[in-house]
Amino acid sequence: QVQLVESGGGFVQRGGSLRLACETSGFRMDDYAIGWFRQVPGKEREGVSCCSDRFGTSFSADSVKGRFTLSRDNTKSTVYLQMNSLKPEDTAVYYCAASPDRDNILRLWVFPEKSQNVNWGRGAQVTVSA
């Protein structure tokens, strides 16, 4: 059974850093694409950073480029999102998502409501004070 568990969220002041972790189980990480998304209540979910997979390529949303970094540790079956220079507008619930088809993750960047064959974690709250 595919499972994703996020951790590392919390409260931080503007300019601070947090590292989110997405611990995976039930599948081989090299067989899946894993990305990070975030959502603010009342707003659509948005892509943050994608994708950790066997191709090793990744990209980030313009709003976080240069500040957020995606990485992975296969020995721990975990994908990380290092977040630096945090801003109040980064406040959201952060989710990791995994799919055996990279296109299913990429599709969510354009069509956030179309979650097909994608597994989600429960999310981690990140709050950045002004």
Side-chain angles (χ1 to χ4, degrees), residues 47-96:
V48 176
S49 190
C50 178
C51 297
S52 175
D53 59 19
R54 65 182 181 275
F55 300 110
T57 56
S58 66
F59 61 91
S60 296
D62 287 343
S63 59
V64 306
K65 202 166 292 183
R67 300 188 296 122
F68 290 13
T69 304
L70 185 67
S71 65
R72 62 193 279 166
D73 185 340
N74 282 1
T75 65
K76 297 182 178 179
S77 299
T78 300
V79 174
Y80 300 98
L81 183 68
Q82 178 67 44
M83 305 185 295
N84 298 328
S85 302
L86 282 161
K87 305 175 181 180
E89 50 264 44
D90 294 320
T91 295
V93 178
Y94 285 71
Y95 300 89
C96 59

Side-chain angles (χ1 to χ4, degrees), residues 12-31:
V12 66
Q13 291 186 333
R14 176 194 289 269
S17 298
L18 285 173
R19 187 178 76 160
L20 300 181
C22 174
E23 186 174 354
T24 72
S25 61
F27 64 96
R28 284 183 68 242
M29 285 180 61
D30 280 348
D31 292 338

